[in-house]
């Protein structure tokens, strides 16, 4: 759960909804379904107060996860896991 104020999708304005939709389009197909159904408590949810930052931060992630890059999905997951462990992140 995030420790900052977040907006649930039910309270999102058009700018926030558009930012979420646009960044999700960049993700590989297997990432389409969120791991945490409670959006507001997710890492993406923690960026809901600043839709432009949300889009830029997570569209970068989407580009880095591109299947056209030389890393496999397993390698992506290993890197993400190690970064989370290093940062003591529970996401």
């Amino acid at each position: 759960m995030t420790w900052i104020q977040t907006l649930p999708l039910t309270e999102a304005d058009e700018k926030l909804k558009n930012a979420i939709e646009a960044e999700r389009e960049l993700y590989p197909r297997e990432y389409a379904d969120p791991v945490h159904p409670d959006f507001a408590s997710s890492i993406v949810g923690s960026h809901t107060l600043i839709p432009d930052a949300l889009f830029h931060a997570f569209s970068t992630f989407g580009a880095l996860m591109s299947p056209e890059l030389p890393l496999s999905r397993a390698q992506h997951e290993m890197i993400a896991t190690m970064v989370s462990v290093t940062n003591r992140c529970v996401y």
Side-chain angles (χ1 to χ4, degrees):
M1 170 177 269
T2 57
W3 294 46
I4 62 171
Q5 181 182 355
T6 62
L7 293 174
L9 282 177
T10 55
E11 296 178 24
D13 62 13
E14 281 304 306
K15 185 172 185 173
L16 178 56
K17 288 178 185 176
N18 290 339
I20 293 167
E21 186 176 310
E23 59 90 11
R24 282 187 178 168
E25 288 178 12
L26 298 171
Y27 282 39
R29 186 175 24 136
E30 61 266 23
Y31 290 89
D33 296 324
V35 174
H36 300 285
D38 179 14
F39 176 80
S41 68
S42 72
I43 188 67
V44 177
S46 70
H47 291 70
T48 55
L49 297 180
I50 309 172
D52 290 335
L54 181 150
F55 172 76
H56 290 292
F58 295 100
S59 62
T60 299
F61 180 75
L64 292 171
M65 301 301 281
S66 172
E68 288 130 25
L69 295 175
L71 296 178
S72 69
R73 165 96 190 260
Q75 290 169 315
H76 288 156
E77 295 292 338
M78 179 190 66
I79 292 166
T81 299
M82 289 309 302
V83 169
S84 292
V85 167
T86 301
N87 292 330
R88 297 183 180 154
C89 181
V90 298
Y91 288 109

